[in-house]
Amino acid sequence: MTEAQIYEKLTVLFQDIFDDDHLTIHADTTAGDVAGWDSFNHINLIVSAEAAFGIKIQSAEIEELQNVGQFVKLIHHRLAAKG
Amino acid sequence: MPSNPVSPPDDDTWPYASQTLTFDWPAQERFARWSGDRNPIHMDAVYARRTQVGAPVVHGIHLVLWALEHLAATQPFTVHSLTAKFKAPAFVGEHLDLEVGAGAAGKRRIRVQGGGRTLAVIQLNADVSPSAEVAVLAAVLPGQWPETPRLVTQEQMTTQESRFELLEDPALMRWFPHLCTAIGATRVAALAGLSRLVGMICPGLYSVFNDVELAVVEPLPFDPTQTASAPLTFRAISYDERFRLVRLQVGGAGIAALLGAYLRPSPVQQPDCAAIQQRAVVSTRQFVGATALVVGGSRGLGEVTAKLLAMGGARVILTYAVGQQDADRVAEDIRRHGGDCEIRQYRIGDAPIVAAQDGTAVTHLYHFATPAIQGRRETLFQADVLTDFNRFYCDDFHRCCEALSAHGHPVRAFYPSSVAIEDPPVGWVEYAMSKAAGEVLAVELGRRLPRLQVLVHRLPRTETDQTLSMRQATAMPALDVMLPLVQQMQATV
């Protein structure tokens, strides 16, 4: 899966979790840019992404994420490792 | 349009079929009675202030019942399955709106909105969701509903399972007549029972209901217009330690459901006086002669400060706004360990306290009064939130300092600022702004007011109820943070 495809799939998850059909995400999107992105919905986002992409992310990796771009790269690496 | 099986109650005309609603305390009590969910985050304002959300929360399933009753009363209603996701807390007394929309393939989507934000989304489907097929829970043994919420630990989470009878309350049929006609009163009772399951049993006391995926199971074994005794069976099917997320499979009473609920962090317990004495962090004579006023001393930084001062020999006047039980607990701990402590109720705006009850003048002020810091934010900046913070961090600190200075005795005051000024966490902008303003004010007060010295310090993120988070966030123990500052404050006694 390409990073562009990951962005596409992730956008749908973001729109669902933050209940905004027009929400768009970019590499530099952070929690401060999205209304309702609190610690509770941050976890819901990770849980949804794990289910949607069939991957598992470590707690330490989650805490290091600074923006959507890093999240996409992490998903990309994890998918690539799965083969 | 379904017929109304019973008349609405004469004694109350609560508008469940209305598109706007405010859930007040009587409504909270009603739902607690129907459902049996008396988790204190819904029912106890003093308790709720010590949670992350800071205020009493409307039961999520109560929102779902309201939304479904509204829909059933206004549109033809057939449902085979539904999902509900709770995205943010709806607060008691808050004005809420319903927004009903049509989706693809006969789906209906209902949003519950408050303060410009979506708080819950309920989606009705014409088809049965495969993941919520009938649960195979036949082997689960019967249990008893607890009177008070259970405290389930992480280790116990995956072993949770039981079978319970639903409450039989005919009031459900009077209050949700259209919904009872549409899906059967027993299923409505089962929905309410889900709230009880999460709030009282698993995860219980420290629960946050996150989502439910529910399928209507035929046949319903009871008359759809009457509630009847029916068992509801559940089993915990997974627990994710990283997020403290438990998934429950539920079946019975004409439904099959999958629930997701978080185990939220428990309130922060500060060290008791015995622990402070054991660590020998202060000598028992170190602060003798001081009379310290700790505003907001019933928990958190104020609690630790009061204990440190008292164990060092200072006389402590500890104030609380609403948490008298917490204040009593702190004071008893102090007295049991030989300390001197006086409790006063003080709400910001009250006449400032300048002396102990026997007239001894206050020599030190520690001002920790604060509103809930972590709230829902609809926008980057909200002027009303800043105003509220300023009432605590600027106005009241100013009033206390002026009164103490005017009382005619030398006074030292501590202003607890925050490192959040330099790098505000998301949603903490108004807090950081107010603390920055308070710093400027505190320095000026120290310069201008006679007999007053002020110590301003930017505190790091500290382990208190105010910094509780679903995520693992680094925070320093309150004792380690306050010890050197209290010693610095008391150094000239």
Side-chain angles (χ1 to χ4, degrees):
Chain A
M1 188 178 279
T2 65
E3 287 198 4
Q5 289 169 321
I6 294 171
Y7 270 106
E8 196 176 330
K9 202 166 177 177
L10 207 51
T11 298
V12 176
L13 298 183
F14 268 78
Q15 290 175 343
D16 177 51
I17 286 170
F18 299 108
D19 195 46
D20 180 354
D21 294 341
H22 305 293
L23 180 64
T24 56
I25 54 173
H26 311 281
D28 56 357
T29 301
T30 66
D33 302 321
V34 180
W37 192 342
D38 52 20
S39 63
F40 182 68
N41 282 322
H42 183 80
I43 291 175
N44 278 330
L45 193 58
I46 303 285
V47 171
S48 297
E50 285 190 341
F53 292 100
I55 57 170
K56 204 85 171 171
I57 301 171
Q58 303 300 319
S59 298
E61 294 173 319
I62 294 166
E63 294 309 312
E64 286 169 8
L65 295 174
Q66 299 294 320
N67 55 39
V68 168
Q70 291 178 5
F71 191 25
V72 169
K73 286 197 183 306
L74 179 61
I75 294 169
H76 189 249
H77 288 148
R78 202 50 49 86
L79 289 173
K82 273 176 67 179
Chain B
M1 179 81 67
S3 61
N4 187 343
V6 289
S7 300
D10 296 330
D11 59 338
D12 202 327
T13 53
W14 181 262
Y16 274 112
S18 160
Q19 205 152 355
T20 62
L21 198 55
T22 298
F23 287 77
D24 55 14
W25 279 114
Q28 291 290 103
E29 180 56 40
R30 268 201 302 276
F31 185 76
R33 198 167 60 242
W34 298 330
S35 67
D37 184 356
R38 293 193 170 274
N39 190 297
I41 199 168
H42 304 298
M43 308 304 295
D44 183 342
V46 175
Y47 173 91
R49 91 195 198 289
R50 295 200 64 173
T51 66
Q52 286 163 280
V53 293
V57 176
V58 178
H59 300 79
I61 291 291
H62 202 178
L63 300 177
V64 173
L65 293 183
W66 166 41
L68 295 180
E69 172 64 17
H70 171 76
L71 190 65
T74 54
Q75 300 178 29
F77 188 98
T78 304
V79 63
H80 294 291
S81 68
L82 68 86
T83 59
K85 293 180 180 175
F86 306 113
K87 295 175 177 295
F91 294 116
V92 176
E94 179 178 24
H95 180 85
L96 303 173
D97 295 291
L98 283 182
E99 183 188 294
V100 182
K107 292 181 178 177
R108 287 203 183 87
R109 193 175 168 89
I110 314 173
R111 290 185 173 94
V112 178
Q113 295 183 306
R117 188 172 157 189
T118 300
L119 309 180
V121 176
I122 301 128
Q123 184 160 298
L124 305 181
N125 307 312
D127 55 334
V128 176
S129 171
S131 56
E133 283 290 359
V134 180
V136 182
L137 297 164
V140 174
L141 297 172
Q144 294 290 322
W145 287 110
E147 292 293 316
T148 55
R150 279 188 188 161
L151 216 170
V152 180
T153 65
Q154 295 196 69
E155 293 72 28
Q156 297 167 328
M157 204 60 78
T158 51
T159 63
Q160 297 299 302
E161 61 176 36
S162 201
R163 174 179 299 144
F164 301 95
E165 295 296 317
L166 288 175
L167 288 177
E168 299 176 51
D169 194 334
L172 271 176
M173 287 176 287
R174 294 204 307 274
W175 291 101
F176 301 101
H178 304 91
L179 181 59
C180 286
T181 299
I183 67 171
T186 301
R187 289 196 184 94
V188 177
L191 269 165
L194 298 181
S195 186
R196 189 181 201 184
L197 169 58
V198 170
M200 301 292 283
I201 298 183
C202 186
L205 181 60
Y206 299 132
S207 58
V208 177
F209 203 152
N210 187 60
D211 61 273
V212 54
E213 191 176 341
L214 181 144
V216 167
V217 175
E218 300 290 355
L220 183 63
F222 305 101
D223 181 341
T225 62
Q226 293 181 38
T227 53
S229 182
L232 198 63
T233 306
F234 88 95
R235 173 177 286 160
I237 55 172
S238 70
Y239 179 68
D240 191 327
E241 287 182 19
R242 295 170 304 161
F243 310 123
R244 300 157 65 97
L245 173 63
V246 64
R247 294 226 168 265
L248 307 176
Q249 192 176 28
V250 185
I255 65 163
L258 289 174
L259 315 185
Y262 288 105
L263 181 67
R264 62 181 168 78
S266 56
V268 175
Q269 302 296 321
Q270 301 297 348
D272 61 14
C273 291
I276 290 173
Q277 285 180 330
Q278 277 169 11
R279 283 181 57 183
V281 292
V282 287
S283 88
T284 54
R285 307 289 299 167
Q286 201 170 343
F287 308 141
V288 169
T291 298
L293 172 63
V294 184
V295 177
S298 65
R299 59 185 177 131
L301 290 167
E303 174 183 349
V304 165
T305 301
K307 288 173 179 173
L308 271 170
L309 288 160
M311 292 304 97
R315 181 176 198 177
V316 173
I317 306 167
L318 175 164
T319 82
Y320 68 92
V322 292
Q324 184 175 356
Q325 281 189 336
D326 289 325
D328 286 341
R329 175 183 49 79
V330 176
E332 280 169 24
D333 185 28
I334 287 173
R335 290 172 190 143
R336 197 167 52 247
H337 292 85
D340 185 351
C341 183
E342 182 178 311
I343 302 175
R344 303 263 198 99
Q345 184 177 32
Y346 174 81
R347 297 170 190 266
I348 59 159
D350 286 353
I353 296 166
V354 295
Q357 279 167 339
D358 67 359
T360 307
V362 168
T363 58
H364 293 79
L365 166 67
Y366 294 83
H367 194 279
F368 294 107
T370 182
I373 298 171
Q374 305 183 80
R376 276 186 354 227
R377 299 284 189 274
E378 287 80 39
T379 56
L380 177 66
F381 170 72
Q382 286 179 239
D384 59 328
V385 175
L386 176 62
T387 301
D388 197 38
F389 279 127
N390 285 343
R391 289 171 53 231
F392 288 78
Y393 303 155
C394 298
D395 300 351
D396 201 68
F397 183 72
H398 172 229
R399 292 175 58 258
C400 288
C401 286
E402 274 208 321
L404 287 167
S405 171
H407 195 56
H409 299 271
V411 176
R412 301 192 88 190
F414 176 66
Y415 185 80
S417 187
S418 170
V419 293
I421 291 174
E422 297 147 36
D423 184 18
V426 173
W428 289 46
V429 170
E430 300 90 348
Y431 169 82
M433 291 171 71
S434 185
K435 283 292 185 185
E439 276 191 10
V440 176
L441 173 66
V443 171
E444 275 303 288
L445 291 172
R447 277 192 196 144
R448 310 275 179 202
L449 293 181
R451 296 173 292 279
L452 180 75
Q453 286 182 291
V454 179
L455 173 64
V456 177
H457 188 84
R458 290 186 180 177
L459 303 176
R461 189 181 178 97
T462 308
E463 290 172 357
T464 70
D465 295 338
Q466 297 278 6
T467 58
L468 285 175
S469 173
M470 296 295 289
R471 297 175 66 181
Q472 296 169 354
T474 308
M476 284 186 67
L479 180 59
D480 294 350
V481 170
M482 286 312 301
L483 174 62
L485 293 165
V486 168
Q487 286 174 324
Q488 190 179 345
M489 272 283 288
Q490 305 295 135
T492 57
V493 172

